[in-house]
Amino acid sequence: MSSKKVYSKTSSESETHRRSSNAVISLSQFAHAKSKGTRRAIENYKQKRKSKFDRNAGLLRSYRKAMKNEGYEPGMGANRSRGNRKRSLDDAKPEQNDIDLPKPVSEINDAQMKKDTSQPKRKRRHKTDPFTKAKEMAKQSKEDQLSKEKLRSVQMKEKEEKLKKRKQRAKKLSKLTSKGQPMMKNIVEDLLDKI
């Protein structure tokens, strides 16, 4: 007789086996296992990016249409250098002389600048100090501090004088006769001073 020994797995062994088999998960499982708030935030972010992209595309489309209506080649914006812009604008102009197009802004500005050079240049104003308000506030706070310190010193002197008078009055009123009775002379004087 052959005896076969059957070993049953204990509960702790089966739990560790399940954990190790589930240890590797796919990226999509990981992403979907996250909390709903995180997924919602990611979806909101993607939606915002898409709407921004769509808006920019619409703006670009309307810009190109406007440039085409004006007779210029789109894409010659402010980020190009002036020399290249003038050349490209000259290339973009139609060769027919009978069509009158408005002058580009750069040509108008150049003509105005030539006229303006004949006028005497104005003297430049001196730059204002950016810290004037801060300096005024600091000066004001220093003055406030000095006034507060003076007020404190006056109050301290008054307090000391009152304390001195109170001690003298207490000493006077606490005087006793040889038999241990309070001196009526001092008490009457104090009452009269109060009136």
Side-chain angles (χ1 to χ4, degrees):
M1 289 188 129
S2 67
S3 66
K4 288 186 180 179
K5 291 185 180 178
V6 178
Y7 293 102
S8 65
K9 293 183 181 177
T10 62
S11 63
S12 63
E13 288 178 11
S14 61
E15 285 176 20
T16 56
H17 179 68
R18 272 189 236 135
R19 282 185 202 150
S20 64
S21 66
N22 290 337
V24 178
I25 60 172
S26 68
L27 185 61
S28 61
Q29 285 176 335
F30 176 75
H32 292 294
K34 285 192 158 212
S35 65
K36 288 182 181 178
T38 307
R39 272 188 272 145
R40 193 177 302 129
I42 291 169
E43 287 169 5
N44 287 343
Y45 172 73
K46 285 180 181 177
Q47 189 176 7
K48 282 180 186 178
R49 274 184 69 188
K50 188 180 182 310
S51 63
K52 187 177 180 182
F53 177 82
D54 292 344
R55 184 176 175 272
N56 286 343
L59 291 172
L60 195 60
R61 214 175 301 118
S62 62
Y63 165 74
R64 284 186 179 139
K65 190 182 270 187
M67 289 296 286
K68 189 177 181 183
N69 289 340
E70 292 292 323
Y72 296 111
E73 184 182 338
M76 299 300 153
N79 63 343
R80 309 292 194 268
S81 64
R82 284 181 177 242
N84 293 341
R85 185 174 185 194
K86 285 181 182 176
R87 281 189 221 120
S88 63
L89 288 175
D90 292 337
D91 295 340
K93 286 183 185 176
E95 293 182 12
Q96 297 173 353
N97 292 336
D98 57 300
I99 298 174
D100 241 6
L101 289 175
K103 288 184 178 180
V105 179
S106 61
E107 289 180 14
I108 294 170
N109 289 341
D110 290 341
Q112 286 177 351
M113 287 178 68
K114 287 177 184 175
K115 290 178 186 176
D116 292 343
T117 54
S118 62
Q119 294 176 352
K121 291 185 178 179
R122 294 180 186 169
K123 290 184 180 178
R124 289 187 181 179
R125 291 184 183 176
H126 293 289
K127 289 185 178 179
T128 57
D129 187 16
F131 301 110
T132 50
K133 286 184 181 178
K135 286 179 180 178
E136 288 175 7
M137 288 177 68
K139 188 177 181 181
Q140 185 69 29
S141 64
K142 275 190 177 182
E143 290 174 1
D144 290 345
Q145 283 180 345
L146 290 173
S147 64
K148 284 179 183 177
E149 286 178 13
K150 286 180 182 178
L151 185 67
R152 275 191 215 126
S153 64
V154 169
Q155 287 175 345
M156 287 292 286
K157 285 180 183 177
E158 288 175 359
K159 208 174 192 181
E160 287 174 2
E161 287 175 13
K162 285 181 182 178
L163 189 66
K164 196 174 186 181
K165 285 181 182 177
R166 197 182 304 140
K167 282 183 179 179
Q168 286 175 350
R169 182 174 169 261
K171 193 173 184 181
K172 213 183 221 186
L173 292 174
S174 64
K175 282 188 178 178
L176 301 174
T177 59
S178 60
K179 292 183 179 179
Q181 299 296 317
M183 292 185 79
M184 289 306 290
K185 177 184 167 187
N186 293 336
I187 293 173
V188 170
E189 282 179 1
D190 185 56
L191 289 171
L192 290 173
D193 286 342
K194 282 184 180 178
I195 297 174

